[in-house]
Amino acid sequence: MVKVLFFAHLRDEVGEESVELNVTGKTVAELKQLVAEKYDVQKLDQAMTAINEEFASNEEVIKDGDVVALIPPVSGG
C-alpha cells in the first residue's frame, strides 16, 4: 500500500488529508489519473509530486510503502 497526501485545495476536493491506495508499480502519472477519476479531482496534471519527500517526475514508478504527496501550484503575493 502507498500513502497519498493531499495539500491545499486538493485536500478539500478529496475530503481527506491522506488515503491509502494500492498503486505499487504504477507511475506517478497513473496515480494522478486514478485519483482524478476516483475522487473527481480537477487539474492534477499541474500538481507537483513528491515521493518520500523528494520531488518526482510523472514517469517515476511508485514502490510499496512509499509516501506520495500531491502539491498543487500555489500563487500569492
Side-chain angles (χ1 to χ4, degrees):
M1 292 298 275
V2 172
K3 186 172 189 175
V4 182
L5 307 174
F6 302 101
F7 292 89
H9 74 85
L10 295 178
R11 180 183 301 158
D12 296 333
E13 287 187 52
V14 172
E16 301 281 342
E17 186 173 302
S18 67
V19 295
E20 298 265 336
L21 297 173
N22 187 11
V23 292
T24 301
K26 295 193 181 297
T27 64
V28 168
E30 291 171 320
L31 168 66
K32 287 179 178 180
Q33 182 178 357
L34 178 96
V35 168
E37 292 171 0
K38 184 171 183 171
Y39 298 101
D40 195 31
V41 176
Q42 306 299 313
K43 299 186 180 179
L44 265 181
D45 57 325
Q46 298 175 5
M48 299 205 46
T49 308
I51 298 176
N52 301 324
E53 299 182 8
E54 291 189 23
F55 286 110
S57 70
N58 282 333
E59 294 78 33
E60 185 133 0
V61 176
I62 300 165
K63 299 176 194 73
D64 189 42
D66 280 348
V67 177
V68 180
L70 296 176
I71 309 158
V74 180
S75 64

